[in-house]
Amino acid sequence: MDASPVALLPDWVVPVVPEGRVMTRTAVVVEDGRIAALVPVDDLESSHAGIDRVELAGRALIPGLVNMHTHSAMALLRGLADDLPLMRWLEDHIWPVEGRLMGPDYVRAGTELAIAEMVRGGTTTFNDNYFFPDVTAEVAIRTGMRAVVGMPMIRFPTAWAQTTDEYFRRGLEVHERFVGEALIGLSFVPHAPYSVDDAAFERIRTLAEELDLTIHLHLLEAADEIESSRREYGLHPLDRLDKLGLLGPRLLAVHMTQLTPSDVERVARAGVHILHCPDSNLKLASGICPVARLDRAGANVCLGTDSAASNNDLDLLAEMRLASLLAKGTSGDPEAVPAARALSMATIHGAKALGMDDRIGSIEPGKQADLAAIRLDAIETQPVHNVISQLVFAAPRSQVTDVWVAGRRLLDDRQLTTLDEDGLLARTARWRQRIAETPAD
């Protein structure tokens, strides 16, 4: 954390709350890792005499982006298996490779790669769903990144755990170890309704209520999920989750591409948070989440990238753009999900879903100084008629110049400050070779 107070002076401040607001000639004062004040530039000398200034000419300052769904370590599998349907992609390619190589070293290297990519794209918080969450948390703490790590549950053995009891035991050990860490949040991450049984779901519900944790779940990602649930349990997945007491505001439901209009109203009434991953859903041809309808119904829609293995990037700026365009195109309404709402989905909506909207997701005094500066004076984003539209519809992630988490500068003029880029690339190259040389089963 930067020790002394500092004033950030961008051309524009986009606080997100209230939605659509853009402030000019405004300094953001950061002290002890928090946003201390928003001060008119003309008053800065009188209110904060002698304060260090960071000039951010030509840039917009936004809250750090919140990536609400990813599997960070899978960055090592980027491009390994493309142009396949979901279950073939998982069962024939991804799960076999993970089964052969999964372990702490793999997760450490993949998470470092993912964090580097996310920071360079303006992301300051990621909601992770993967094995060895203790390793993910360690890397996040060491690199200064904010993360919510999940305690995994799936009904077959993995390198992380062999039995249901071991999944719970190891998960609760992770909770006990990291529950007090400032940069780390925790959740339960049962994989999906088709891979977790009722008894495990019931235990998760009880523990989530006792520990006040969210439940981060792949749900209604593909069409055959509904019929398989009816065959195995005699219930639609939403009915099954409702029966198990899981259909409520603790539930962070990822994908949700198979919703009917009545389903939309149902999940909105229940307070379920929707984690929309448009790029991954399109690439796997899983379907399209009805975001415009969900937004109109009052559901809290957030954005995630999914893994780099299915996306193939961790670019939340691109997800904002795609989410807005998909909502317009599928609804036939050009006013659906305007730029300001897309930015909210990538910031304050994610913070709300995580129960962290009192700490992150907007530029307001008292909140953590999780911030990203994005250059708008480049050819690709000129002229600037509307700052927020330019951020959502035009700005590439390569124009993110500076990023702070809790006041600590993780990206300084495009240079990573807590990760060695050359060492990271060398480790990634070694893992690529190892993956290529690992024999198939």
Side-chain angles (χ1 to χ4, degrees):
M1 185 183 297
D2 295 337
S4 58
V6 64
L8 309 180
L9 286 87
D11 279 8
W12 305 277
V13 174
V14 184
V16 171
V17 175
E19 189 173 271
R21 186 179 186 188
V22 176
M23 306 168 72
T24 57
R25 295 194 57 75
T26 301
V28 177
V29 177
V30 175
E31 187 172 358
D32 294 328
R34 295 183 177 273
I35 300 165
L38 277 68
V39 180
V41 170
D42 293 341
D43 298 339
L44 186 60
E45 186 57 35
S46 60
S47 63
H48 295 79
I51 192 171
D52 290 339
R53 299 183 179 213
V54 176
E55 298 289 344
L56 299 169
R59 279 162 275 194
L61 192 69
I62 67 170
L65 303 176
V66 180
N67 188 344
M68 280 300 295
H69 178 66
T70 191
H71 313 274
S72 57
M74 292 177 74
L76 292 177
L77 305 182
R78 190 194 320 264
L80 179 70
D82 286 335
D83 306 320
L84 296 168
L86 173 64
M87 295 315 296
R88 279 177 54 200
W89 176 78
L90 274 175
E91 294 175 352
D92 297 346
H93 299 274
I94 299 302
W95 285 346
V97 170
E98 289 177 327
R100 295 190 297 271
L101 295 176
M102 176 71 69
D105 291 343
Y106 167 91
V107 172
R108 185 174 298 107
T111 301
E112 288 176 351
L113 179 62
I115 286 176
E117 180 181 357
M118 286 190 281
V119 167
R120 282 163 56 91
T123 293
T124 55
T125 299
F126 68 103
N127 185 34
D128 205 56
N129 184 323
Y130 209 60
F131 305 102
F132 295 92
D134 53 334
V135 176
T136 303
E138 289 167 1
V139 175
I141 292 167
R142 175 166 51 82
T143 59
M145 187 69 152
R146 196 179 302 279
V148 176
V149 299
M151 296 173 276
M153 172 57 61
I154 196 165
R155 66 181 175 193
F156 53 75
T158 65
W160 171 247
Q162 296 293 300
T163 66
T164 296
D165 285 344
E166 188 179 8
Y167 277 107
F168 279 107
R169 178 181 61 78
R170 296 203 68 183
L172 291 173
E173 287 171 356
V174 170
H175 178 271
E176 183 176 357
R177 178 180 171 190
F178 293 102
V179 69
E181 289 286 347
L183 290 177
I184 303 299
L186 296 134
S187 69
F188 283 101
V189 289
H191 175 257
Y194 56 81
S195 56
V196 177
D197 63 29
D198 284 0
F201 270 133
E202 289 171 346
R203 193 170 172 186
I204 286 169
R205 183 203 66 222
T206 299
L207 287 167
E209 291 170 355
E210 289 177 0
L211 301 173
D212 193 22
L213 299 179
T214 57
I215 300 168
H216 179 184
L217 174 73
H218 299 95
L219 182 59
L220 296 178
E221 183 174 2
D224 59 0
E225 187 179 324
I226 296 172
E227 287 310 310
S228 67
S229 178
R230 285 180 171 140
R231 285 193 303 270
E232 186 169 0
Y233 299 100
L235 293 169
H236 185 285
L238 292 181
D239 293 328
R240 180 177 167 227
L241 292 175
D242 199 6
K243 181 181 177 182
L244 293 167
L246 293 169
L247 205 65
R250 290 191 189 280
L251 184 60
L252 311 185
V254 189
H255 301 306
M256 300 291 269
T257 68
Q258 306 300 313
L259 294 174
T260 67
S262 62
D263 293 337
V264 166
E265 298 297 328
R266 181 181 190 180
V267 298
R269 285 195 307 271
V272 174
H273 302 279
I274 311 300
L275 279 48
H276 180 36
C277 303
D279 200 321
S280 176
N281 292 154
L282 288 176
K283 185 164 178 285
L284 292 167
S286 298
I288 298 173
C289 180
V291 166
R293 191 182 293 271
L294 284 159
D295 191 46
R296 288 195 301 269
N300 183 46
V301 180
C302 322
L303 296 180
T305 59
D306 211 339
S307 76
S310 67
N311 186 313
N312 294 26
D313 59 46
L314 304 174
D315 183 354
L316 211 54
L317 285 175
E319 300 293 338
M320 279 198 295
R321 183 176 308 122
L322 186 55
S324 179
L325 296 180
L326 269 178
K328 296 174 190 300
T330 55
S331 68
D333 178 7
E335 296 182 293
V337 188
R341 179 51 58 90
L343 181 58
S344 293
M345 289 177 176
T347 52
I348 193 65
H349 286 202
K352 179 181 178 182
L354 296 173
M356 298 168 68
D357 49 322
D358 61 335
R359 286 171 279 165
I360 63 171
S362 60
I363 301 178
E364 298 179 84
K367 287 196 171 184
Q368 295 283 303
D370 290 14
L371 305 163
I374 303 177
R375 186 174 294 282
L376 296 183
D377 57 1
I379 287 173
E380 292 81 0
T381 45
Q382 283 290 309
V384 179
H385 296 297
N386 182 307
V387 170
I388 299 178
S389 290
Q390 216 71 338
L391 289 168
V392 173
F393 297 127
R397 61 177 171 174
S398 59
Q399 290 180 205
V400 175
T401 62
D402 301 86
V403 170
W404 296 261
V405 174
R408 183 182 185 184
R409 202 171 191 170
L410 304 190
L411 190 70
D412 184 350
D413 195 22
R414 293 296 295 163
Q415 297 301 307
L416 295 165
T417 65
T418 62
L419 280 162
D420 170 24
E421 185 173 341
D422 290 339
L424 176 64
L425 290 172
R427 286 190 296 277
T428 301
R430 289 194 294 270
W431 272 101
R432 186 209 65 78
Q433 189 66 25
R434 183 175 174 183
I435 291 167
E437 292 175 350
T438 300
D441 291 338

